[in-house]
Amino acid sequence: MHQNSGKERSRLLIREFEGGRHLLATLEHGAEIIGQITRVIRENDIRAGHLNVIGALDQAEIGYYDQVSHSYQGIQINEPVELASCSGNISLLAGRPYAHVHAVLSGMKGKVWAGHLTSGRIFAAELYVQELVGPDLIRSKDSITGLNLWREE
C-alpha cells in the first residue's frame, strides 16, 4: 500500500455542490452541436454541471487523445449517426463556461465510434443540463497530461 509521504501532493480534487436548475433544450437542425451546447450553457450562465444529449447527427468528428504526443487525433464520420450515448460536464475554461463532451455514435450496420465529441451537424437533438451550484470548477493546463483539467486556483 502506497502512503503519501508528505513530499508529494495528492492530485485528488473533491468539491461538494448543490443541485441547481434543470434545463431542457431542443437543439437546432443543421447547427453544429458543440456550438449549440456552448450557447445554451453560456446564455444561462451555467458554470458547473452535467449534461446529456439524445438524438442524431448528419456527420461528426470524434477526437482520440494521443497520450504520447499530448494531442487530439480527429476521426471524421461522414455519415448519419445516432447519439447512442452522449454526456459531459461543464466547468470554466479561460473564465467562460465550457462543455467537455464524450459520445458513442452508432452508424449503419452497427458500426460504433466513441471518444471526445469535437463537432457534429445536428439532424435532431435534445439537451438536458443539470446545473451544479457551488465553487467554480476551473480548467487549466496540466503539465503531466497536457490536458485542461480541473485545478485548485
Side-chain angles (χ1 to χ4, degrees), residues 125-150:
E126 298 166 337
L127 169 67
Y128 167 72
V129 175
Q130 164 65 66
E131 178 184 37
L132 297 172
V133 179
D136 283 344
L137 278 176
I138 299 171
R139 289 185 177 276
S140 63
K141 189 75 140 198
D142 177 67
S143 62
I144 296 171
T145 65
L147 293 165
N148 288 313
L149 301 177
W150 294 332

Side-chain angles (χ1 to χ4, degrees), residues 6-26:
K7 293 180 182 177
E8 56 186 272
R9 187 167 165 245
S10 173
R11 295 176 52 94
L12 189 62
L13 178 64
I14 300 172
R15 296 288 180 267
E16 189 170 325
F17 291 85
E18 298 291 327
R21 298 170 288 171
H22 297 259
L23 302 176
L24 292 172
T26 300

Side-chain angles (χ1 to χ4, degrees), residues 61-117:
E61 180 177 281
I62 292 286
Y64 165 79
Y65 191 72
D66 184 317
Q67 296 177 15
V68 175
S69 70
H70 288 192
S71 63
Y72 276 100
Q73 309 301 313
I75 301 167
Q76 292 290 329
I77 303 161
N78 294 311
E79 64 182 75
V81 292
E82 287 284 326
L83 288 160
S85 178
C86 184
S87 64
N89 56 48
I90 301 161
S91 54
L92 299 178
L93 179 64
R96 301 191 68 194
Y98 167 78
H100 185 148
V101 183
H102 284 214
V104 177
L105 307 175
S106 63
M108 296 182 75
K109 299 181 183 177
K111 186 168 184 177
V112 175
W113 299 266
H116 181 86
L117 184 59

